[in-house]
Amino acid sequence: MENGNAAQRVIQDLRSLAAAAGPGARLPSVRELTARHQASPVTVAEAIRQLAAEGLIEARPGRGTFVATPPDEPGVPDLSWQTVALGPRRFGQDEMQALLALTPAGTIPLSGGYLHADLQPAAALGAALTRAARQPASWQRGPIEGRADLRAWFAREAGAGLHAEDMVICPGGQAALSSALRALTTPGDALLVESPTYLGALAAARAAGLRVVPVPADADGVRPDQLAAAFAPTGARLFYCQPLYANPHGATLAEHRRAQVAEAVRDAGAFLIEDDYARDLTIDDPAPPPLASDDPDGHVIYLRSLTKSTAPGLRVAAIGARGPAGARLRAARLLDDFFVAGPLQQAAIDFLTSPAWSRHRRALRTALRTRRDALLTALRRHLPSLAPQSIPRGGMHLWVRLADGTDDAALAAAAAAEGVAVLPGRPWYAAEPPAPHLRLTYAAAAPELMDEAVRRLARVLR
């Protein structure tokens, strides 16, 4: 105890002396400090060691102890050369950052693409992950394609066309999509997309060096006549599509168009990437089956993610195809990141095969309906001109048409200043937008906040 007090006296004395002296000044020797504080040489040496570790003093062997000299302030680095070395920025970086940005405190989020925390099955997922973490086998390297039981689950969800051996597990839908675009195309190829379409698909396509060709869509989904007309002049062999509750416009591919779209893809000898991101976000009528369930000749590449319908942290998805296309997809995923973490895969299959999954889907359906209807009610009350005519029967978003001449990007910025986050429609188009829009998300905020959010948006518009 006495040694501890002595060490503190030495430390305080040295601090005071260092503060009074300038950098580089000599401090009392160990012998002087030992006599001054009636402390042992070991105690004094320990005090010096502590202050040296803090960078306050320097012990120079054979010369003594000195107040530390701060290093020279570095000059401002010149990093301008990097802009020449790197070349132009890739399309979509700013837009993707805005899409994924966390909203500031006090801002009501009508943006983003994930469920509100209250809608996430966090307790069930946490329990599943805890059980997985306790299993030593989950920490070992499994098949690079992913667990067989998890791949089989995704294959069953896709319908009769795909089997477990056709699937590969991926760390989220965006990773699966990026891999697919690189595996099935070469830079300079054309990629057909719905217009408007998912912003992440546009960014991934441009990053892969693809020419993005928009194909018009309406309330019944992509227009088959325009799709068929786009294949020949572009030479495209790949069409990216969200047939169910498309993001951002919410349309579902109508029954009478499904066969026509399949025929257009088949006649072109092309592939269709079916991004089935919203399979578990149905609100009203039962969702139609995936296009992959009626694909005898392997034209459909099926992508399904769990992240949107559970929680952002469950980065588990699968993508599947038959024949050489499937082999290329599996090879691409191996090169990208080897395999998805075993505990996460184990937790996913544990959750999906438990009663908690069914309970979550039922509760989510009710909650999304409540939020969607609350946002619609608020729009009809405060901004009736923005209330959409076509109401999505699932998904997370409303696609609202603004008055001609409205600057949707400026409006979104002004809304953020007013405390409500919305996304402009312009970045969701691969070419010039035909009209200004906003994407309003109803899954990211509590229903009781919808009215206030639209009130704030109305103040900006007025």
Side-chain angles (χ1 to χ4, degrees), residues 190-194 211 213-215 227 230-231 234 236 238-241:
L191 172 70
L192 304 186
V193 300
E194 299 171 276
R211 293 184 295 114
V213 180
V215 180
L227 178 64
F231 273 115
T234 61
L238 195 60
F239 169 48
Y240 171 78
C241 181

Side-chain angles (χ1 to χ4, degrees), residues 38-53:
Q38 297 298 303
S40 70
V42 173
T43 299
V44 172
E46 175 60 22
I48 291 173
R49 188 194 65 78
Q50 290 186 38
L51 293 178

Side-chain angles (χ1 to χ4, degrees), residues 69-295:
T69 301
D72 294 336
E73 288 292 328
V76 178
D78 181 7
L79 304 179
S80 60
W81 66 270
Q82 294 188 3
T83 59
V84 178
L86 294 172
R89 294 188 68 193
R90 291 178 176 176
F91 168 87
Q93 291 181 343
D94 292 340
E95 292 81 2
M96 288 297 290
Q97 289 176 356
L99 179 65
L100 297 174
L102 299 176
T103 53
T107 296
I108 303 174
L110 297 186
S111 59
Y114 299 107
L115 298 176
H116 187 270
D118 291 347
L119 305 183
Q120 299 170 19
L125 290 175
L129 190 57
T130 299
R131 290 190 292 270
R134 292 172 178 166
Q135 298 183 28
S138 70
W139 293 96
Q140 303 305 311
R141 194 195 78 177
I144 58 174
E145 298 88 355
R147 291 176 59 106
D149 50 2
L150 186 56
R151 287 185 284 127
W153 184 89
F154 278 107
R156 288 193 299 271
E157 291 288 302
L162 293 168
H163 304 285
E165 58 268 24
D166 301 317
M167 311 299 295
V168 58
I169 304 302
C170 310
Q174 186 68 25
L177 177 58
S178 296
S179 294
L181 294 180
R182 292 197 307 274
L184 304 175
T185 64
T186 57
D189 285 354
L191 172 70
L192 304 186
V193 300
E194 299 171 276
S195 184
T197 193
Y198 169 48
L199 175 58
L202 296 177
R206 297 280 169 70
L210 304 182
R211 293 184 295 114
V212 182
V213 180
V215 180
D218 56 26
D220 287 334
V222 67
R223 291 178 51 183
D225 58 334
Q226 296 286 348
L227 178 64
F231 273 115
T234 61
R237 291 294 177 265
L238 195 60
F239 169 48
Y240 171 78
C241 181
Q242 291 181 330
L244 188 64
Y245 318 134
N247 178 14
H249 55 89
T252 294
L253 186 61
E255 177 65 31
H256 67 277
R257 288 188 177 180
R258 290 167 64 95
Q260 295 174 326
V261 167
E263 181 181 6
V265 172
R266 184 175 59 251
D267 289 348
F271 294 98
L272 183 154
I273 297 180
E274 179 180 12
D275 185 350
D276 204 17
Y277 86 100
R279 177 62 47 181
D280 305 309
L281 302 176
T282 295
I283 296 176
D284 297 326
D285 303 330
L291 298 177
S293 64
D294 186 20
D295 175 42

Side-chain angles (χ1 to χ4, degrees), residues 282-339:
T282 295
I283 296 176
D284 297 326
D285 303 330
L291 298 177
S293 64
D294 186 20
D295 175 42
D297 300 319
H299 288 277
V300 177
I301 296 161
Y302 184 72
L303 193 166
R304 172 84 175 271
S305 174
L306 301 176
T307 307
K308 296 293 188 185
S309 56
T310 55
L314 189 63
R315 303 296 301 171
V316 175
I319 192 166
R322 290 181 290 153
R328 293 194 185 191
L329 282 174
R330 292 186 289 275
R333 288 304 313 150
L334 170 63
L335 291 175
D336 281 349
D337 47 31
F338 288 177
F339 49 82

